[in-house]
Amino acid sequence: MTWLRSIAGLLLFALVTVACGARLGEDEIRVAIDQLGGGAPGEASVTTNGDVDLDPASAAAPSGTATDLPAATTPSGSTAPSGPSTSGQPATGQQPGQAQPEPDPATAPTDAPAGEDTTDTRAMPAGGNGGETDVGVTEDRITIANVSDTSGPVPGLFEETQFAVRAAVEKFRATEGTIYGRSLDLIEYDARMDVNGNRNAYLDACNKTVAAVGSMSAFDQGVTSPAEDCGIPDIRATALTPVLQDSEVVYPADAMTANVQTIGDYVWLKNSVFKDDPEAITKAGYLFIEGEVTRYQTGMTKRGTESIGYEWPVYQSIQISEFNYAPHVEDLANKGVRIVAFQGAWQQAIKLAQAIEQKRDYEPDVLLFQANVYHPDFLAQGGSAIEGVIVPLVSVMLEEIDQYAELQEYDEWVQRVAPGNRATALGVYAWSAAWLFIDLAKKIGPDLTREKLLAELAKVDGWDMNGIHPPQEIGRKWPSDCQLYTQVQNGQFVRLAPASGFECGGGLVDLRG
């Protein structure tokens, strides 16, 4: 289980909370979407980002509307640190905010990494580019889709992934302009947190776009059938459900294979924090908010960690309607639990931490919360109860943005296309997916097709988007076990380990047998 899957599953608890604490099935959720989000269940809203740039204020506009992008500002520059692989380097051309250059066949981009082809892919080839080569590829346009949950019972649930792709498209337009004479256009779909919303969005995207890029949705099982039927490459930020993870057309930027589990954080605890105290890992406790996704994910973690010596005297779900966590804390204390892991929304994580703080005679050695609590509101509302909480991440810390030119670029451009928003941990992988598509479209050449794109995706290895996330074996769909570890100290997230970059190795278990 990767942290992106965890975040997506955990954010669903906000949906359930909307419905007065009730536990909802998918049918009830669709009804809630109809009542709270507007529109019929399963209906996907569409926004185009075509000839002219999309203003964030029109993001919810009817299909086919677009207005001008706000005035650009030139971002500050910085040099990324050495260390992680730069195999994900996209060509960047001019600085953002400058006028789009006229394609010049005699001038090749000069900022590609050593060993990468520096052929100028902006210019129309002699004799033309072949015109229409596939769905979504015409003589003058390449059209891609993003399908994310941006409205519904939890408004804006995954809008940050859509913002990230929009930002990448706008940066490409400003810095490079075209790929072999074709502009890059984006159609944005709102899946509305619904299986049928996803299905309908992909049915439409199948008829209009060459690929889906950077998508993220809570009920992504609705994607599988239409995507496979039409053969559209789906370069997602992440895939939540096993059937989608193993789909032949799905290649998430956060690579994954169903039932292959990442337990790097538990390996790190065992080998570092409790290196001289091996008994600690035999007294672990896992609390999680009850739900199909969380039970699957925590069960995988439990099985994986038991293979390296962990024992779980407490493995217990908490009903979404529960407000008193004291009995669960009493159980942890009575069984001598020293490592407390929790899976739930950050609001619920705070509630657990407060319940532990209030029990004066019990203090576990470690509170291990998942990456969904990596949020400023968690810090603002958690107070003294969350001091010392450990949080693993698999993207660079946003607090370290001054060290990563790529993160600065993403942050600057997302502010430009969605004023008031900033770079986020979720958005990193959508931004990465967008640039992976652009990189492969250039590599394929003028004859861009879905079939050729899928063939190239199957070869991608070590993609790290200039070091802002660990190298991903996207072609093999093999999860990364690289993480960094943060701790809440004095009300801030502080890097705990390693000193820089990510800690990798020994954190994957294959549970497919």
Side-chain angles (χ1 to χ4, degrees), residues 446-468:
D447 188 24
L448 177 62
T449 66
R450 289 173 174 173
E451 183 178 1
K452 289 182 178 180
L453 184 55
L454 287 170
E456 289 301 323
L457 282 165
K459 302 174 186 176
V460 176
D461 184 18
W463 179 266
D464 71 352
M465 201 57 226
N466 293 325
I468 62 174

Side-chain angles (χ1 to χ4, degrees), residues 163-486:
F163 292 160
V165 177
R166 189 189 304 172
V169 168
E170 296 302 341
K171 178 190 172 184
F172 173 80
R173 288 175 174 176
T175 59
E176 296 184 61
T178 63
I179 301 175
Y180 295 109
R182 297 181 175 114
S183 66
L184 183 60
D185 294 344
L186 171 66
I187 301 177
E188 298 177 338
Y189 295 86
D190 178 7
R192 298 179 183 268
M193 296 184 66
D194 183 69
V195 172
N196 286 328
N198 273 286
R199 180 178 181 276
N200 291 337
Y202 271 79
L203 286 172
D204 196 66
C206 279
N207 294 325
K208 297 177 180 177
T209 68
V210 68
V213 177
S215 300
M216 189 162 183
S217 179
F219 297 104
D220 63 12
Q221 59 266 50
V223 172
T224 310
S225 178
E228 291 182 344
D229 288 347
C230 77
I232 188 172
D234 191 359
I235 313 173
R236 306 181 66 78
T238 190
L240 304 183
T241 52
V243 65
L244 194 61
Q245 292 163 11
D246 286 343
S247 171
E248 61 185 9
V249 298
V250 175
Y251 289 88
D254 179 29
M256 56 189 65
T257 292
N259 298 313
V260 175
Q261 183 72 11
T262 300
I263 57 169
D265 41 359
Y266 294 94
V267 172
W268 172 73
L269 284 176
K270 176 183 177 181
N271 294 339
S272 298
V273 178
F274 297 112
K275 180 179 179 181
D276 299 321
D277 188 7
E279 183 184 7
I281 69 169
T282 68
K283 296 181 178 180
Y286 214 142
L287 299 177
F288 58 96
I289 302 301
E290 177 61 40
E292 182 180 352
V293 172
T294 52
R295 187 168 287 278
Y296 165 74
Q297 292 179 345
T298 58
M300 292 275 289
T301 298
K302 181 174 180 290
R303 288 173 56 198
T305 55
E306 285 172 345
S307 70
I308 61 170
Y310 277 79
E311 296 178 17
W312 299 89
V314 174
Y315 176 72
Q316 181 63 51
S317 66
I318 299 175
Q319 299 303 313
I320 187 65
S321 57
E322 287 187 50
F323 292 95
N324 181 15
Y325 287 12
H328 297 287
V329 174
E330 189 70 30
D331 190 32
L332 294 171
N334 290 340
K335 294 179 180 176
V337 169
R338 298 177 58 186
I339 302 171
V340 178
F342 179 72
Q343 184 159 329
W346 62 261
Q347 296 91 333
Q348 296 156 333
I350 289 175
K351 189 183 298 184
L352 175 61
Q354 290 172 339
I356 291 173
E357 184 181 45
Q358 290 163 9
K359 186 168 176 55
R360 304 295 184 183
D361 59 347
Y362 175 61
E363 185 176 355
D365 295 308
V366 168
L367 283 180
L368 181 67
F369 291 170
Q370 294 188 325
N372 67 300
V373 308
Y374 184 61
H375 192 285
D377 289 347
F378 177 73
L379 297 175
Q381 299 181 30
S384 61
I386 63 170
E387 280 292 309
V389 166
I390 293 175
V391 181
L393 300 176
V394 291
S395 66
V396 297
M397 295 182 67
L398 302 179
E399 290 84 354
E400 298 175 351
I401 190 171
D402 62 330
Q403 301 177 35
Y404 293 88
E406 188 65 48
L407 193 58
Q408 292 170 36
E409 287 287 294
Y410 162 36
D411 187 59
E412 293 286 351
W413 280 95
V414 81
Q415 289 182 69
R416 208 183 284 204
V417 302
N421 290 272
R422 300 295 303 271
T424 68
L426 282 176
V428 160
Y429 279 88
W431 172 266
S432 178
W435 286 106
L436 176 59
F437 170 81
I438 292 168
D439 187 83
L440 294 182
K442 295 180 193 177
K443 181 177 182 180
I444 290 168
D447 188 24
L448 177 62
T449 66
R450 289 173 174 173
E451 183 178 1
K452 289 182 178 180
L453 184 55
L454 287 170
E456 289 301 323
L457 282 165
K459 302 174 186 176
V460 176
D461 184 18
W463 179 266
D464 71 352
M465 201 57 226
N466 293 325
I468 62 174
H469 62 66
Q472 296 286 341
E473 296 183 55
I474 291 172
R476 287 184 61 207
K477 302 186 181 183
W478 196 249
S480 168
D481 66 351
C482 298
Q483 294 183 320
L484 66 86
Y485 305 100
T486 70

